[in-house]
Amino acid sequence: MIELSLAEIATAVGGRLVLSPAGGSQEDRISGESQTDSREVQQGQIFFARRGEEMDGHRFAAQAVDAGAALIVAERETDDRVPQILVADTTEALGALATEVVRRVRAAGVLKIVGITGSNGKTTTKNLVAAMAERVGPMVASAKSFNNEVGGPLTMLRVEEDTRTLVAEMGASAEGEIARLTAMAPPHIGVVLTVGLAHAGEFGGIETTFRTKSEMVRDLPAEAVAVLNRDDAYVTRMGDLTAARVVWFGRNPEADVRASDIDSDASGTRFTLHIAGDSLPVVFRVLGEHHVTNALAAAAVGHELGLSLADIVAALEGATRAARWRMEVLGGRDGVTIINDAYNASPDSMSAGLRTLAQIGKPEGRTVAVLGAMSELGEYSIEEHLRIGLQAVRLRISELVVVGVEARNLHISAINEGSWDGESVFFAEQDEAFDYLARTLQPNDTVLVKSSNAAGLRFLGDRLGEAFA
């Protein structure tokens, strides 16, 4: 974080500064990062004592001070060994400080802000854009999937005076949340990847999802850039909603940044990248043809950041996986390949994962889909689980292993399809599924493990990866 005095921080968050009896002044300066988890606090950092649904950060203020916190922002007085700033709402204070820090750095004229949203692919695209931004100069990018009202500001507060690019993943579970994040860090480049059924249960339907995702580009000024997916019908509609210059990406021949000659196998995807009349071949080692969309979005951002086509291709080819638990290739013993893609799952990403499995399976082995529940689909849940089960059959996946009661409709749909006879099995618990797979997987099998984060199948994927390492 840029260096600020205690008084400046108090003003930014609209709080009351309480100095420690041990001494100090309101002109004392702080430049450490901010944390909301006392276990993450390091020397000189700021601890925001948030009240969550299950935990109250005020209870852990002493641990934060023990770990080296130089300042506590809280809603009531806690540990007086360090200065405290008392506010009405700690989460709002976190956002307010992020807004002020970004405003100051942006005003210096060096910082470029890239905001990324979409129903699928945000983290992968963020990682690819970050790899390109590193070629421009010092950059800050969201850690893990920090993309909400807490993770977003924590990322923004890592910006310093020499930061050239802030790459901010911006997610939402309700209307208005992306707008709040873009108000904190107004993007110079706003990216929208897809509009799908992810979180449809929380949003209340696809049209609400569309309105929410379009918040990324609605308020962009004319001098900004909206990077939009030409292959997604809902995202295409956003071109009429923004005053910004639009850059289209996709496979569509009309896209400004597009891919052709796409060919996928177990080693990744090869395609030709076209930008501004030039083209180069790309060997993209991130598994799954659907990730070409994310690569194109990142390439469009890289071009807007001033990178040459050669540098863009080099950044793409340097990526070896989307992210932890996202199309992560494990295993290898006896030719068994485990693809752990169980960090998130929506109907779109589940469908894409199955298509990838069908494409890359070895002729001498089987394809095995180990699937768990897709969360947050609301009224669409039964229909979409049934549809995915049917798709597994129609793609001729060799075996479907369904794990967890919430995912049972996947199994029911598959066994109701007359062309299958015993190729779908169901287990209520992960341990049962692991024992079965460890016993029955055959040499050269290719296994996809896919579920929403809440279903926890990423841990089953890791176990299988270790068992067949």
Side-chain angles (χ1 to χ4, degrees):
M1 188 183 80
I2 62 174
E3 189 175 78
L4 295 172
S5 70
L6 293 174
E8 288 174 317
I9 296 173
T11 298
V13 302
R16 177 170 63 89
L17 175 63
V18 179
L19 295 173
S20 169
S25 160
Q26 65 176 0
E27 297 307 317
D28 290 345
R29 305 188 75 76
I30 303 284
S31 60
E33 293 182 14
S34 296
Q35 304 290 353
T36 59
D37 185 336
S38 61
R39 296 168 296 184
E40 301 292 329
V41 172
Q42 298 180 25
Q43 193 68 37
Q45 294 186 342
I46 305 172
F47 177 62
F48 281 78
R50 289 185 65 248
R51 287 180 294 105
E53 293 181 3
E54 298 180 359
M55 304 294 286
D56 185 349
H58 295 80
R59 293 171 48 200
F60 303 97
Q63 289 93 317
V65 175
D66 290 341
L71 171 65
I72 295 174
V73 180
E75 295 169 14
R76 63 176 185 270
E77 292 193 33
T78 56
D79 194 308
D80 67 359
R81 288 177 291 168
V82 298
Q84 301 173 73
I85 296 176
L86 304 182
V87 297
D89 187 300
T90 312
T91 302
E92 290 185 4
L94 179 67
L97 183 58
T99 302
E100 177 63 11
V101 167
V102 170
R103 184 193 69 77
R104 290 188 180 214
V105 178
R106 184 175 171 138
V110 175
L111 181 66
K112 291 287 186 182
I113 300 171
V114 181
I116 301 170
T117 196
S119 297
N120 299 293
K122 293 185 294 297
T123 299
T124 301
T125 304
K126 176 259 298 180
N127 290 343
L128 294 172
V129 171
M132 296 186 190
E134 285 179 336
R135 295 171 177 263
V136 176
M139 73 90 197
V140 169
S142 305
K144 303 176 184 177
S145 293
F146 278 17
N147 60 25
N148 61 10
E149 64 180 353
V150 177
L154 288 176
T155 298
M156 298 168 195
L157 284 168
R158 290 166 45 212
V159 167
E160 299 180 353
E161 287 88 347
D162 64 345
T163 303
R164 295 289 300 277
T165 313
L166 167 62
V167 185
E169 184 180 334
M170 297 181 176
S173 57
E175 286 191 80
E177 292 183 3
I178 292 175
R180 283 194 287 275
L181 291 171
T182 58
M184 294 178 197
H188 296 86
I189 304 172
V191 182
V192 186
L193 299 167
T194 58
V195 173
L197 286 175
H199 311 294
E202 294 183 352
F203 284 122
I206 193 72
E207 285 295 333
T208 308
T209 304
F210 165 74
R211 289 196 303 272
T212 302
K213 300 303 181 185
S214 66
E215 292 170 10
M216 173 62 72
V217 299
R218 283 179 184 270
D219 295 331
L220 290 179
E223 61 270 20
V225 180
V227 175
L228 303 178
N229 185 353
R230 186 66 176 79
D231 299 333
D232 186 297
Y234 282 98
V235 179
T236 300
R237 286 168 51 187
M238 296 182 192
D240 296 327
L241 302 179
T242 183
R245 174 170 58 88
V246 175
V247 173
W248 299 103
F249 67 90
R251 303 185 190 189
N252 191 298
E254 297 179 1
D256 302 295
V257 178
R258 64 185 180 88
S260 66
D261 307 317
I262 301 172
D263 182 43
S264 297
D265 60 25
S267 66
T269 307
R270 289 159 296 285
F271 62 93
T272 301
L273 175 62
H274 304 266
I275 301 179
D278 292 327
S279 61
L280 279 177
V282 179
V283 179
F284 190 47
R285 291 186 289 168
V286 176
L287 189 62
E289 188 175 305
H290 54 290
H291 282 303
V292 172
T293 296
N294 305 324
L296 293 174
V301 174
H303 183 67
E304 292 299 321
L305 292 176
L307 270 65
S308 68
L309 180 57
D311 280 343
I312 291 170
V313 171
L316 293 177
E317 293 191 335
T320 58
R321 68 178 185 184
R324 181 81 166 99
W325 296 312
R326 291 174 171 87
M327 299 304 282
E328 186 174 14
V329 180
L330 306 170
R333 178 168 60 83
D334 297 328
V336 174
T337 301
I338 309 295
I339 305 166
N340 193 353
D341 192 36
Y343 188 82
N344 270 321
S346 67
D348 290 337
S349 67
M350 188 77 85
S351 179
L354 287 174
R355 290 197 303 272
T356 297
L357 177 62
Q359 286 176 338
I360 70 173
K362 302 170 186 175
E364 64 274 25
R366 303 178 304 154
T367 52
V368 180
V370 183
L371 306 183
M374 299 177 287
S375 302
E376 301 174 354
L377 293 179
E379 64 181 289
Y380 302 97
S381 182
I382 294 175
E383 174 187 349
E384 291 301 323
H385 282 87
L386 292 172
R387 184 179 67 81
I388 293 298
L390 181 60
Q391 184 183 19
V393 177
R394 292 182 174 174
L395 285 171
R396 300 182 182 275
I397 302 301
S398 304
E399 183 173 30
L400 177 62
V401 178
V402 178
V403 185
V405 175
E406 295 82 0
R408 190 162 192 150
N409 280 320
L410 290 165
H411 173 63
I412 292 171
S413 177
I415 62 176
N416 283 342
E417 183 71 4
S419 61
W420 269 21
D421 181 19
E423 287 90 345
S424 180
V425 293
F426 170 78
F427 298 99
E429 302 295 335
Q430 286 192 35
D431 287 345
E432 297 172 330
F434 174 80
D435 291 342
Y436 171 80
L437 289 162
R439 186 176 69 251
T440 61
L441 286 181
Q442 303 170 15
N444 297 310
D445 281 353
T446 303
V447 183
L448 171 70
V449 183
K450 180 75 173 166
S451 75
S452 284
N453 196 22
L457 261 62
R458 62 194 184 280
F459 304 118
L460 174 59
D462 283 345
R463 290 179 68 189
L464 290 170
E466 291 173 3
F468 290 90

